[in-house]
Amino acid sequence: GQSLEQPSEVTAVEGAIVQINCTYQTSGFYGLSWYQQHDGGAPTFLSYNALDGLEETGRFSSFLSRSDSYGYLLLQELQMKDSASYFCAVQNRDDKIIFGKGTRLHILP
Amino acid sequence: NAGVTQTPKFRVLKTGQSMTLLCAQDMNHEYMYWYRQDPGMGLRLIHYSVGEGTTAKGEVPDGYNVSRLKKQNFLLGLESAAPSQTSVYFCASSPQYTEAFFGQGTRLTVV
């Protein structure tokens, strides 16, 4: 089977840095993606890692360690608009995209 | 600049009724997916397709059928709706092994 684990909620202060972790168990792993979803909206793509290491896109970075079946999303210079749910998702060689249950990020002023 | 369009956006069904949700994409993507989202459950894959004329089961396929007769369209059918199928349904399309683009969702209530 396949499973992804991520914290259900994280709270951080505006302007700070927050890290959202994701561990996964799957066969035929190809890559790890991150998505953001605001309340009432659709998920939107943030980043994708197929190789070990850090990928940076503006204030957001994502890391992958294939040997540890682990990744994280790093959000810097937090803004109130970053309050949302964040999902990690594994892409498998059987072409499925399987999502975790999501992490709700609360940002305090 | 339509991207992925889902029809309808809202629907209320009575138990036992049938309906079809339509997903259309204009990005020429081979891969299309149907998910359902329930509170605290994340997005669960129902069925997916890797190209015109192909479909495959995801994590929670029971009670649903799909068809991909044209590359740009992916239809999700509920033959006999049940209250457990009350959910928000999202369609997505993707080039292989990269970013998935989501539609705006269909809110379905089965009473």
Side-chain angles (χ1 to χ4, degrees):
Chain A
Q2 297 161 115
S3 67
L4 294 92
E5 295 291 332
Q6 55 182 127
S8 59
E9 290 185 274
V10 171
T11 300
V13 178
E14 189 177 15
I17 299 172
V18 71
Q19 178 173 314
I20 300 173
N21 298 320
C22 175
T23 58
Y24 59 87
Q25 286 187 321
T26 186
S27 56
F29 175 83
Y30 194 85
L32 186 72
S33 301
W34 290 91
Y35 290 80
Q36 179 191 61
Q37 186 181 30
H38 287 99
D39 286 347
T44 57
F45 174 82
L46 291 176
S47 68
Y48 175 71
N49 295 69
L51 302 175
D52 286 357
L54 192 68
E55 293 281 343
E56 298 181 69
T57 308
R59 295 188 295 114
F60 294 1
S61 303
S62 58
F63 172 83
L64 176 65
S65 169
R66 295 172 68 104
S67 60
D68 295 324
S69 298
Y70 164 75
Y72 66 73
L73 179 69
L74 192 73
L75 295 79
Q76 303 182 72
E77 301 173 13
L78 284 171
Q79 302 175 10
M80 297 304 293
K81 67 179 182 179
D82 297 328
S83 294
S85 293
Y86 293 84
F87 296 87
C88 58
V90 293
Q91 292 189 281
N92 293 324
R93 295 186 187 276
D94 62 4
D95 299 315
K96 293 176 181 174
I97 304 176
I98 303 297
F99 283 76
K101 293 183 178 181
T103 299
R104 182 109 179 158
L105 174 61
H106 303 279
I107 299 176
L108 304 176
Chain B
N1 213 19
V4 180
T5 303
Q6 292 184 230
T7 310
K9 291 184 171 49
F10 303 92
R11 185 73 185 269
V12 179
L13 280 181
K14 293 183 178 180
T15 298
Q17 286 184 320
S18 63
M19 78 164 294
T20 300
L21 283 68
L22 171 63
C23 177
Q25 54 100 358
D26 62 2
M27 296 173 283
N28 202 35
H29 289 162
E30 291 291 338
Y31 294 71
M32 296 188 75
Y33 304 86
W34 274 108
Y35 293 90
R36 61 177 289 173
Q37 185 172 35
D38 304 294
M41 297 297 292
L43 292 141
R44 291 185 289 171
L45 181 64
I46 305 172
H47 286 282
Y48 65 105
S49 169
V50 300
E52 181 178 314
T54 75
T55 63
K57 293 180 179 179
E59 302 171 281
V60 288
D62 293 344
Y64 305 94
N65 56 75
V66 287
S67 65
R68 184 102 181 264
L69 299 180
K70 293 183 178 181
K71 184 177 183 178
Q72 63 268 34
N73 295 336
F74 195 29
L75 279 64
L76 178 71
L78 286 72
E79 291 184 347
S80 180
S84 61
Q85 294 178 304
T86 293
S87 189
V88 179
Y89 291 85
F90 285 101
C91 174
S93 73
S94 173
Q96 189 183 20
Y97 298 151
T98 184
E99 175 180 359
F101 296 79
F102 282 81
Q104 287 306 302
T106 296
R107 294 185 177 276
L108 176 65
T109 301
V110 183
V111 297

